[in-house]
Amino acid sequence: MITWNNLDTLASYKKLFEVEKVNLAEAMSGENGAERVRKYSVPMAEGLAYNFAAKQVDDKVLDGLKELAEEAQLTEKFEALYNGEVINTGEKRLVLHHLTRGQLGNTVEADGVDKRAFYVEQQRKIAEFAQKVHKGEITNGAGEKFTTVVQIGIGGSDLGPRAMYLALENWAKKNNAFKMEARFISNVDPDDAAAVLYGIDVAHSIFILVSKSGTTLETLTNESFVKDALSREGLDPSKHMIAVTSETSPLAKSDDYLAAFFMDDYIGGRYSSTSAVGGAVLSLAFGPEVFSQFLEGAAAEDKTALNEDVLENPAMLDALIGVYERNVLKYPSTAVLPYSQALSRFPAHLQQLDMESNGKSVNRFGQPVDYVTGPLIFGEPGTNGQHSFYQLLHQGTDIVPLQFIGFRHNQMDTDVVIQESTSQQKLCANVAAQIMAFACGKADENLNKNFEGGRPSSIIIGDQVNPRSLGALLAHFENKVMFQGFLWNLNSFDQEGVQLGKVLAKRVLAHETDGALKVYSDLLNI
Amino acid sequence: MITWNNLDTLASYKKLFEVEKVNLAEAMSGENGAERVRKYSVPMAEGLAYNFAAKQVDDKVLDGLKELAEEAQLTEKFEALYNGEVINTGEKRLVLHHLTRGQLGNTVEADGVDKRAFYVEQQRKIAEFAQKVHKGEITNGAGEKFTTVVQIGIGGSDLGPRAMYLALENWAKKNNAFKMEARFISNVDPDDAAAVLYGIDVAHSIFILVSKSGTTLETLTNESFVKDALSREGLDPSKHMIAVTSETSPLAKSDDYLAAFFMDDYIGGRYSSTSAVGGAVLSLAFGPEVFSQFLEGAAAEDKTALNEDVLENPAMLDALIGVYERNVLKYPSTAVLPYSQALSRFPAHLQQLDMESNGKSVNRFGQPVDYVTGPLIFGEPGTNGQHSFYQLLHQGTDIVPLQFIGFRHNQMDTDVVIQESTSQQKLCANVAAQIMAFACGKADENLNKNFEGGRPSSIIIGDQVNPRSLGALLAHFENKVMFQGFLWNLNSFDQEGVQLGKVLAKRVLAHETDGALKVYSDLLNI
C-alpha cells in the first residue's frame, strides 16, 4: 500500500538532520579519500558509473538515505508509475515515457490499446519512413533526395532532441551513421526561423512539425513562416512537412503533411526524447538503428532504477543525495558540468527536465509544502566553464553542488600530443583535478589564493558518448528527477506555472489590457 | 579621498534593512502600477532604457540606495578606475577596458605609452588588416580569398566575442555588412576542434590565436591541432594564422603568424570584447566599420555610468538593486532573459562576466567578508525559456530575480502575421506578459494553478539589436558588475579561483598524484 506523504512528515527525514555532517575536505584526503573513490561508485548501464565519493556523505548519511528511500517508498512508487497508475495527479494522466524503451512491468492499457505496442508501432512507422527518405523513395516534389531535416518545436520538443542530436552528430560522422543534417527552429522571434532558413537548402529540406495539441503558438507560427518560405520558392509545403502530434489533434489526419507520427498525453514534453518527438528527427538524421541503440541504452538504465538497494540504484541514490543537499545542507542550486563538447546542450535539457518537473510549491494533492523543492540547474561543458564561472564555484560565498560527467575517449578519434599528453588526457586530467580542488581546497596565507574546499561533487564516468551511453545518461537523469519528485511529494509531470504568461500574452495581443501591462505593451510597440 | 570599506561597515547599508519591504504584487497593480512603469525608467545610450518598475523597490528604498551609492563612493571609485589607479589590487594592475572605446578622464600612461593611443592603434592595424583580407590583398597561399575566420581562444577570448558575433550575424547579413563566417574553437576536448575543422573549408580559413600570455593550455593545444590539420592538407600554417596576444608574449614577434595584434595586462579576458580580442574576429566577420559602431555604442553607454544621480545612471542603479536583492532580500541568483534569438549566448557571456568578477569571499585587501557577494547567473533566450525553466521561476519555492531584455524590432525584417499579429509582436507580448505574471501573479482556488507573484524583474527595452545597441548593452553589464564589486569591496578584476585546478591538472598529467586524485586519474584512464 503506497502512501503519499510530504517529506517533512517522514521520521527518517527528520533523523537526517541529526546525523553528523561530513567534513568533505578531510574525508577526501589521503588513503581514506582514495578508498572512498574506489568504494563510493554505483555501476550504471552501458559501462557508465556514478561515483559519489566527493559528495558530502559517509556510511552514516547513506544509512539515513536508505531509510528515507524505504519510508518514502521510492521503489513502490516507481513500480506504480510504470504499471500505469495515474501518477500525474494534476492532469489525471498516466506517466509512460519508460514504455517508449521497454516494458518494466505489467502491460499498460490506455485509450483501449496496449501502450507499449503503440509506441513500438510509432517507432516502426518512423523507421520505415526514414529509410525511404534515405533511400530516395520519399523525395521532394522534383524527385530529389532530402539532405536536411528541420525540427519545428519548442520546450521539450526542442531542447531534448536538439541536445541528443548535438551529442551524436560527430559520433555519427565518424561512424558512417550520418544521414542528414538536422536544424531546429523554436523561438517565436522571427529571426530564429529566418536564420535557419537562410542557412539551409530549403528545396531539399524536410520539416518536422512537433506539437502534441496542434495549438502551441510558437510552433504554429513558425510552421506558417516555413510554409511561406517554401511557397515563395515555388515549392509545395505538403511535400516537405511531416507532423509529430497526438492522434486527436487537427494535424493528425491533415493532407498538409507527408506523414504523421503519434505521441500521447502520457509523455510530457520534457520526457519525450525517446518518443516520436525525438524519434523522427534522430532517425532521419542518423538512421533508425542509431535511434534503437539510444532506446536500448535508456532501457538498460531504467532497469538499474528498479534495484531496491539504494547502493545499486544510481538514479535513486543521486536523487537522495540531491535532496539531502537541498533540504538538509540547504544548497539552493546544482551545476551540471559535462567534460565533453558533444554534451554542450545537455545541461540546457536537464535545466528544463529538472526545473519544470520539480520547481513547485504545492504537493501532488495541491497543498502547499513547507520545505524547498527543485533546485536551480545550470551548466556548461568543461573545460570551458573553468575559464568562466568556476571562479565563483571555487571561491564564491555560496556552495554549489556539482554534477560532473566525463568520458575516457572522445568521439572523433582525432587527437594531438602536446607536452606528452593528448587533448583527451588533458580534458580528463582537468575534471579529475577539479573534483579534488573543490573537495579539498588548498590553504594559502594569502587568502585571495586560499581555497576552502568542502564543495561537493559527483561524477558519472563513461567510455564514450555514443547512442547507448547517451540513452543511459538521459534515463539516469529522468529517473533521478522522478525519484526526487516522489521524495518532495510533488507531481513532477504537469507544468501549471507556464499557463499564466500565455493567458496574459494573448490579452496583450488582443489589446485587452490596462494598468502596468498596457504601459509595457506601449513601450514595446505592440 | 576614497576609502575602501566593506559593505557591512556602511551606515547606509545597515539602514536599508530598516526600510519597509515593497509588496510588489500590490505596487504593480492598477493605476499605481502603470505609473511605476512610466516613472521607474532610466534612459541608456542608443535608445535603450532600463525599466525597473517591477523590481521590489519604491521611493524610500531608492533613497536608501542613493545614500548607499554616495557612502560607497561609487562615482569616485569609477573615476579612479578610468583615470588609471591600480584598481586590480591582487595583480597590482590598472583596469583599462573603458579606454578601448573612449577617454572618460585623464590621459592614462602605462608601460611608457598613452594607453588610449595604444588601443586605437591596435584598432587601426586590425581595420587595415581586415580590409586587405576583404579586398583580397591578403590571401591564402594559393592567392585565394579567405571566406571563414576561426577564433581559437577560451573563456573571455571565446564567450564574449562569440556572443557578440552571434548577436550581429543576422543583422550583418540583412544589412550587407556580412564579410566572412566566423567559427570558434575553445574546449580542450579534441572533438571541439575536430568538429569545427570538419565543417569548414580549411584552405580558405584564417585562424586567430588569442592568448594574452601565449601559454593558455587549451588554446595552444588547439593551435597545434589546427596546424596539424593545415599541414595535412599541404597548407602552410603561417599563411593562415594571426595572433592576438600581449607585446611581451612569445607569439608577438613569431614568424608563425601573418600578423599580431596586441592586448595588455590591463584588460581582463572577460572585459576584452571591445579590445583586439573581439576586434580582430568582429572586424574580419563584419568589417571594421561595424566594430567601430559597436565601440561607439559602448562608449556612449559608459558616459551614462558617469552620472552622479543614481536615477540617471542605469548601470549604477542596476548594481544597487542587485545588491539590495542579494544582501537585503537574500535572493541567491539572477536570471538573464533576452527576448531575442540573436542574444542566445549573451547570458553565457554575462555568466562569466559576473560570476568570475564577483564570485569571491575576500575583499580587495585579501580579508574575508561577512556577507554574500556575486550571485549565480544563468539564462536562455525567451520565449524558449518559458517552455523550460520558467515553471520554477513562477511557482518554485525560491525567488529568482529576473533581468529581461526586449526589442521592438527584429533583425531580419522577415515576419509573418498569424491570428492578426506578427511573430515580433508575439515575442514582445510574451515578455510584457511575463513581467506582470511574475510581479502580480494570479490567485486561484486550485493552489496548483495559483501564482503568488512578488517575483521581481527589470527590463532593458531597445529598438533593435545592432552594433551600437549591442555595444551599449555590453557596457551596461560591465559597468553594473564593476559597481557591484565596489559595493562588495571586492577586486572584480582577478580570478585566483581558477588557479588550483590548473595546478592539479598538470600534476595529473605528470603522473605525480596519490590518494583520491590518483584513483580518479586511473578511472579516467589518464
Side-chain angles (χ1 to χ4, degrees):
Chain A
M1 178 66 193
I2 294 176
T3 54
W4 299 91
N5 293 313
N6 281 2
L7 180 64
D8 56 358
T9 66
L10 305 182
S12 55
Y13 172 69
K14 290 173 200 157
K15 263 175 71 181
L16 273 177
F17 287 86
E18 308 307 319
V19 182
E20 201 185 334
K21 305 291 177 290
V22 172
N23 180 322
L24 184 60
E26 219 175 88
M28 285 298 284
S29 297
E31 184 46 36
N32 184 37
E35 186 52 31
R36 278 175 68 99
V37 185
R38 285 186 210 106
K39 189 173 100 178
Y40 279 176
S41 174
V42 183
M44 298 168 60
E46 307 298 346
L48 300 168
Y50 171 68
N51 194 304
F52 59 100
K55 283 293 190 187
Q56 218 173 325
V57 300
D58 59 9
D59 290 350
K60 283 182 202 152
V61 175
L62 289 172
D63 284 344
L65 294 177
K66 270 187 218 178
E67 267 188 66
L68 177 59
E70 280 161 33
E71 190 180 1
Q73 300 179 295
L74 296 186
T75 298
E76 293 85 342
K77 286 172 184 171
F78 183 26
E79 196 180 346
L81 182 147
Y82 62 70
N83 281 329
E85 278 193 30
V86 179
I87 296 295
N88 179 347
T89 44
E91 301 172 311
K92 300 193 175 50
R93 290 174 182 170
L94 322 188
V95 175
L96 301 184
H97 53 277
H98 297 90
L99 276 186
T100 58
R101 53 233 196 188
Q103 183 92 48
L104 290 167
N106 305 332
T107 301
V108 178
E109 282 202 24
D111 311 332
V113 299
D114 173 341
K115 291 308 295 187
R116 170 70 185 150
F118 170 79
Y119 298 130
V120 170
E121 170 64 9
Q122 299 310 311
Q123 288 161 16
R124 197 196 55 72
K125 280 172 56 188
I126 288 171
E128 195 179 283
F129 182 86
Q131 275 158 346
K132 284 185 182 169
V133 169
H134 298 153
K135 285 184 196 160
E137 291 169 22
I138 293 173
T139 64
N140 73 3
E144 297 156 340
K145 267 190 163 184
F146 291 113
T147 57
T148 303
V149 51
V150 183
Q151 175 111 325
I152 307 172
I154 195 164
S157 304
D158 170 53
L159 288 165
R162 191 193 295 247
M164 302 306 130
Y165 173 77
L166 292 174
L168 295 178
E169 184 181 10
N170 293 317
W171 175 89
K173 284 178 180 165
K174 182 70 195 168
N175 291 278
N176 293 319
F178 192 75
K179 309 288 184 191
M180 306 168 75
E181 200 191 357
R183 303 290 299 268
F184 296 83
I185 297 174
S186 52
N187 203 330
V188 76
D189 179 346
D191 288 341
D192 187 15
V196 170
L197 293 173
Y198 188 99
I200 60 170
D201 172 6
V202 175
H204 298 91
S205 296
I206 185 165
F207 296 84
I208 310 176
L209 184 81
V210 187
S211 174
K212 193 191 297 182
S213 62
T215 61
T216 311
L217 175 79
E218 285 88 344
T219 302
L220 293 189
T221 303
N222 278 321
E223 182 192 25
S224 290
F225 200 103
V226 166
K227 282 184 172 173
D228 279 6
L230 287 163
S231 299
R232 266 202 310 278
E233 299 215 10
L235 302 164
D236 175 357
S238 73
K239 297 266 185 268
H240 286 261
M241 304 202 82
I242 63 176
V244 174
T245 188
S246 70
E247 280 184 286
T248 54
S249 107
L251 316 175
K253 293 192 180 73
S254 162
D255 288 339
D256 290 350
Y257 306 95
L258 276 171
F261 306 108
F262 300 127
M263 55 214 235
D264 61 31
D265 283 342
Y266 313 118
I267 299 180
R270 57 195 175 273
Y271 295 92
S272 69
S273 290
T274 53
S275 79
V277 172
V281 63
L282 296 175
S283 298
L284 281 163
F286 308 131
E289 303 76 15
V290 168
F291 186 64
S292 289
Q293 291 163 22
F294 172 67
L295 296 182
E296 284 162 20
E301 188 61 32
D302 285 341
K303 287 199 186 122
T304 70
L306 301 175
N307 288 327
E308 286 184 47
D309 181 348
V310 166
L311 293 178
E312 293 179 9
N313 188 323
M316 192 185 284
L317 182 60
D318 198 353
L320 287 159
I321 293 174
V323 167
Y324 179 69
E325 289 178 331
R326 178 77 165 128
N327 298 85
V328 180
L329 302 176
K330 307 287 180 198
Y331 303 144
S333 55
T334 293
V336 181
L337 308 166
Y339 275 61
S340 162
Q341 192 63 23
L343 296 182
S344 61
R345 291 299 285 170
F346 196 69
H349 171 59
L350 294 191
Q351 191 172 57
Q352 176 187 23
L353 180 67
D354 203 318
M355 293 173 73
E356 199 172 33
S357 293
N358 291 334
K360 289 163 189 173
S361 305
V362 298
N363 69 12
R364 51 191 291 107
F365 308 111
Q367 299 148 342
V369 295
D370 287 330
Y371 42 83
V372 294
T373 60
L376 196 157
I377 303 287
F378 74 105
E380 293 284 339
T383 57
N384 288 14
Q386 293 179 197
H387 296 259
S388 169
F389 52 86
Y390 277 37
Q391 164 67 41
L392 182 145
L393 302 184
H394 279 290
Q395 293 188 320
T397 47
D398 291 356
I399 288 182
V400 180
L402 312 171
Q403 187 126 34
F404 290 107
I405 306 172
F407 299 90
R408 295 179 197 95
H409 302 288
N410 64 318
Q411 291 185 316
M412 301 280 272
D413 215 20
T414 313
D415 209 333
V416 62
V417 174
I418 306 278
Q419 292 170 10
E420 297 174 48
S421 61
T422 62
S423 288
Q424 181 63 29
Q425 287 171 320
K426 292 185 182 74
L427 183 67
C428 287
N430 271 280
V431 69
Q434 289 294 334
I435 294 172
M436 291 307 291
F438 282 115
C440 295
K442 185 172 177 297
D444 196 304
E445 274 179 27
N446 176 346
L447 292 184
N448 197 30
K449 296 175 193 282
N450 187 62
F451 291 78
E452 281 198 22
R455 299 181 179 229
S457 68
S458 62
I459 181 166
I460 292 173
I461 296 178
D463 220 47
Q464 189 191 42
V465 181
N466 59 38
R468 286 178 193 277
S469 65
L470 183 68
L473 203 59
L474 177 73
H476 172 80
F477 285 102
E478 290 181 0
N479 294 328
K480 172 191 172 178
V481 168
M482 170 192 75
F483 284 128
Q484 292 194 325
F486 292 159
L487 286 162
W488 286 315
N489 205 27
L490 305 174
N491 173 13
S492 303
F493 303 100
D494 66 355
Q495 54 282 323
E496 290 296 341
V498 309
Q499 295 304 328
L500 178 57
K502 288 188 200 176
V503 171
L504 293 183
K506 274 190 190 160
R507 219 174 281 165
V508 173
L509 289 169
H511 300 282
E512 289 167 359
T513 58
D514 54 13
L517 189 49
K518 173 81 171 67
V519 186
Y520 279 122
S521 304
D522 291 346
L523 288 174
L524 284 155
N525 260 12
I526 305 161
Chain B
M1 178 63 191
I2 294 176
T3 53
W4 300 91
N5 293 314
N6 280 3
L7 179 63
D8 57 359
T9 66
L10 305 182
S12 55
Y13 172 68
K14 291 173 198 156
K15 263 175 72 182
L16 273 178
F17 289 85
E18 310 305 319
V19 183
E20 201 184 337
K21 305 291 176 292
V22 172
N23 180 323
L24 184 60
E26 218 175 271
M28 285 298 285
S29 297
E31 184 45 40
N32 185 36
E35 186 53 30
R36 277 176 69 98
V37 185
R38 284 185 212 105
K39 190 173 98 178
Y40 279 175
S41 174
V42 183
M44 298 167 59
E46 307 298 346
L48 300 169
Y50 171 68
N51 194 301
F52 59 100
K55 283 292 188 188
Q56 220 173 320
V57 300
D58 59 11
D59 289 350
K60 282 183 201 150
V61 175
L62 289 171
D63 285 343
L65 295 176
K66 269 188 221 181
E67 267 187 66
L68 177 60
E70 281 161 33
E71 191 179 1
Q73 299 178 294
L74 297 186
T75 297
E76 292 85 343
K77 287 174 183 171
F78 184 26
E79 196 181 346
L81 183 147
Y82 62 70
N83 281 329
E85 280 193 31
V86 179
I87 296 294
N88 180 349
T89 43
E91 301 172 311
K92 301 196 173 44
R93 291 176 181 168
L94 322 188
V95 174
L96 300 184
H97 55 276
H98 298 91
L99 275 187
T100 58
R101 53 235 195 187
Q103 182 92 48
L104 290 168
N106 305 334
T107 301
V108 178
E109 283 202 24
D111 310 332
V113 298
D114 173 339
K115 291 308 296 187
R116 169 73 185 149
F118 170 79
Y119 298 130
V120 169
E121 171 63 7
Q122 298 311 311
Q123 288 161 14
R124 195 196 57 71
K125 279 172 56 188
I126 288 170
E128 195 178 283
F129 182 86
Q131 275 157 346
K132 283 186 182 169
V133 169
H134 298 152
K135 284 184 194 157
E137 292 169 22
I138 292 173
T139 63
N140 71 4
E144 296 156 340
K145 268 190 163 184
F146 291 112
T147 56
T148 303
V149 50
V150 182
Q151 175 112 327
I152 307 172
I154 195 164
S157 304
D158 170 54
L159 289 164
R162 191 194 294 249
M164 300 309 129
Y165 173 77
L166 291 174
L168 295 179
E169 184 181 11
N170 292 317
W171 176 90
K173 284 176 180 168
K174 181 71 196 170
N175 291 279
N176 294 320
F178 191 75
K179 309 287 184 191
M180 306 169 77
E181 200 191 357
R183 303 291 297 271
F184 297 82
I185 296 174
S186 51
N187 203 330
V188 76
D189 179 348
D191 288 341
D192 188 15
V196 169
L197 292 173
Y198 189 100
I200 61 171
D201 172 5
V202 175
H204 298 92
S205 295
I206 185 165
F207 296 84
I208 311 176
L209 184 81
V210 188
S211 173
K212 194 191 296 183
S213 62
T215 62
T216 311
L217 173 80
E218 285 87 345
T219 302
L220 292 190
T221 303
N222 278 320
E223 182 192 26
S224 290
F225 199 103
V226 166
K227 282 183 172 173
D228 278 7
L230 287 162
S231 298
R232 266 201 311 277
E233 299 215 10
L235 302 164
D236 175 358
S238 72
K239 298 264 183 271
H240 286 262
M241 304 203 80
I242 63 176
V244 176
T245 187
S246 70
E247 279 184 288
T248 55
S249 109
L251 316 176
K253 292 191 181 77
S254 162
D255 286 340
D256 290 351
Y257 306 96
L258 275 171
F261 306 109
F262 299 128
M263 55 213 234
D264 61 31
D265 283 342
Y266 313 118
I267 299 179
R270 57 194 176 272
Y271 295 92
S272 68
S273 291
T274 54
S275 79
V277 173
V281 63
L282 296 174
S283 296
L284 281 164
F286 307 133
E289 302 77 15
V290 168
F291 185 64
S292 289
Q293 291 164 23
F294 172 67
L295 295 181
E296 284 163 21
E301 187 61 32
D302 285 341
K303 288 201 184 120
T304 69
L306 301 175
N307 287 327
E308 286 182 47
D309 182 348
V310 166
L311 293 178
E312 292 179 10
N313 187 323
M316 192 185 286
L317 183 59
D318 198 351
L320 287 159
I321 293 174
V323 168
Y324 179 70
E325 290 178 329
R326 177 77 167 129
N327 297 85
V328 179
L329 302 175
K330 306 287 181 199
Y331 303 144
S333 55
T334 292
V336 181
L337 307 166
Y339 275 61
S340 163
Q341 192 62 23
L343 297 182
S344 61
R345 292 298 286 170
F346 196 69
H349 171 60
L350 294 191
Q351 191 173 56
Q352 176 187 23
L353 179 68
D354 203 318
M355 293 173 72
E356 199 172 34
S357 293
N358 291 334
K360 289 165 190 171
S361 304
V362 298
N363 71 12
R364 53 189 291 105
F365 307 111
Q367 299 149 340
V369 296
D370 286 331
Y371 41 84
V372 294
T373 59
L376 196 158
I377 303 286
F378 73 105
E380 293 283 338
T383 57
N384 289 12
Q386 292 178 199
H387 296 258
S388 169
F389 54 85
Y390 277 37
Q391 164 68 40
L392 182 146
L393 302 183
H394 279 290
Q395 293 188 319
T397 47
D398 291 355
I399 288 182
V400 180
L402 311 170
Q403 187 123 33
F404 290 107
I405 305 172
F407 299 90
R408 296 178 197 97
H409 302 288
N410 64 318
Q411 292 185 317
M412 302 278 274
D413 215 19
T414 313
D415 209 332
V416 61
V417 174
I418 306 278
Q419 293 170 8
E420 296 174 48
S421 62
T422 62
S423 287
Q424 181 63 29
Q425 287 171 319
K426 291 184 183 75
L427 183 68
C428 288
N430 271 278
V431 69
Q434 290 294 335
I435 295 171
M436 291 306 289
F438 281 114
C440 295
K442 186 172 176 296
D444 196 303
E445 276 179 25
N446 176 348
L447 292 185
N448 197 30
K449 297 174 192 282
N450 188 63
F451 291 78
E452 279 197 23
R455 296 179 184 233
S457 68
S458 61
I459 181 167
I460 291 173
I461 296 178
D463 220 44
Q464 190 190 41
V465 181
N466 59 38
R468 285 177 194 279
S469 65
L470 183 68
L473 203 58
L474 177 72
H476 172 80
F477 285 102
E478 289 181 359
N479 293 328
K480 172 191 172 179
V481 168
M482 171 192 73
F483 284 129
Q484 292 193 326
F486 292 158
L487 286 161
W488 285 315
N489 204 29
L490 305 175
N491 173 13
S492 304
F493 303 100
D494 65 355
Q495 53 281 324
E496 292 295 341
V498 308
Q499 295 303 328
L500 178 56
K502 287 188 200 176
V503 172
L504 293 183
K506 274 191 190 160
R507 219 171 282 167
V508 173
L509 289 169
H511 300 283
E512 290 166 359
T513 57
D514 55 13
L517 189 49
K518 173 79 171 68
V519 186
Y520 279 121
S521 302
D522 292 344
L523 288 175
L524 284 155
N525 260 13
I526 304 161

